[in-house]
Amino acid sequence: MMTENYPSINNQNASGSVPPVPEPPGQTSVIFTDSAPQTFPRSASQGKIAGGSGPPRDADATFSNPKSGSSDQPTVNWVKAFRVSAYQPFFDVNTSDILERIKDSLIPFKGTFNEKMESSPDLYGPFWICTTLIFVSALIGTSAAYLADNMHHKEWEYDINLLTWSACVLYGYAIFVPITLYIVLKYLSAPLGIVQLFCLYGYSLFIFIPAVCLYIIPVEMFRWVVVGVAGVMSAMFVSLNLRSHVVLAGKRWFWIVSGITLLQLTLSVVVKINLFSVSK
């Protein structure tokens, strides 16, 4: 064979790694060092859901507010009045809150009820106070009629109209009187929230619950005394808590206070006459 024509290989140079190629003169070598990846802190959440990758904070305002010259109109606020969620804050109370406000209504001379519930008026207490008064009035009125008929040896007949009449009068009073007062104060530049007035008038009716219970005593003079005391206390409770707003009405404050007192007394008298008349 013709092996003598091939050059021989040096075994020392073949074993191991290939030696580095020497750098040409005039060139600089660049050495790369190992570095850990840099971690950038997560930016604050800009969407409405914390910790999520939502739209920027002003995205809602950007798409909800119409541009100048656009025919699109924003959503009308009064539409919220037809949603149950709009009334949820007015029922967010506990038993201690209700009892505290009832206690204040039984002490009308303090006049601090409106200040306490100014930031958190409720409709839960007024609704149940008015409803309780309706059933108590019908129950006590029926019981008084039964006792009167037995005393006069008459045959007693249950009158379902007592419950219907009580519901119409008391619910109507608790709704329309605050609305009327709200309009009057608005006209006289002494505005007060309509929910605050509903709350105030609702708790002002609580004094009539124990008063109606006392009507069952078949003594006419005693009943009229209870009528006067309950009406005056209820009127004082409303007037003293509206004092700061009534004063803003100027010289007409006297007529407002007189109207409040007259209406409260009238309610007490009407309930007494229609449910606890002498002829029962």
Side-chain angles (χ1 to χ4, degrees), residues 14-159:
S15 62
S17 61
V18 179
V21 179
E23 297 179 358
Q27 293 186 2
T28 305
S29 61
V30 179
I31 301 175
F32 295 93
T33 59
D34 295 335
S35 60
Q38 185 177 0
T39 304
F40 294 93
R42 180 178 296 180
S43 59
S45 60
Q46 295 179 347
K48 291 184 178 180
I49 302 176
S53 57
R57 187 178 299 274
D58 58 347
D60 293 339
T62 302
F63 292 99
S64 61
N65 295 333
K67 297 181 181 180
S68 58
S70 175
S71 59
D72 297 335
Q73 297 295 333
T75 305
V76 183
N77 291 331
W78 58 266
V79 176
K80 297 179 180 179
F82 298 95
R83 300 176 182 175
V84 177
S85 59
Y87 301 93
Q88 183 177 357
F90 304 126
F91 293 85
D92 188 15
V93 289
N94 52 34
T95 304
S96 60
D97 296 333
I98 299 296
L99 293 178
E100 182 68 22
R101 296 180 180 188
I102 289 176
K103 184 176 68 174
D104 290 340
S105 68
L106 296 176
I107 310 176
F109 308 100
K110 296 173 63 176
T112 58
F113 178 85
N114 200 26
E115 298 177 358
K116 293 181 179 180
M117 63 88 185
E118 185 175 5
S119 59
S120 59
D122 73 283
L123 298 177
Y124 182 86
F127 171 77
W128 283 111
I129 288 174
C130 190
T131 303
T132 303
L133 180 59
I134 290 171
F135 284 97
V136 169
S137 299
L139 176 62
I140 301 299
T142 302
S143 301
Y146 174 77
L147 293 177
D149 289 343
N150 282 343
M151 291 176 61
H152 294 85
H153 304 285
K154 296 181 180 179
E155 184 179 357
W156 176 76
E157 294 182 1
Y158 174 71
D159 189 5

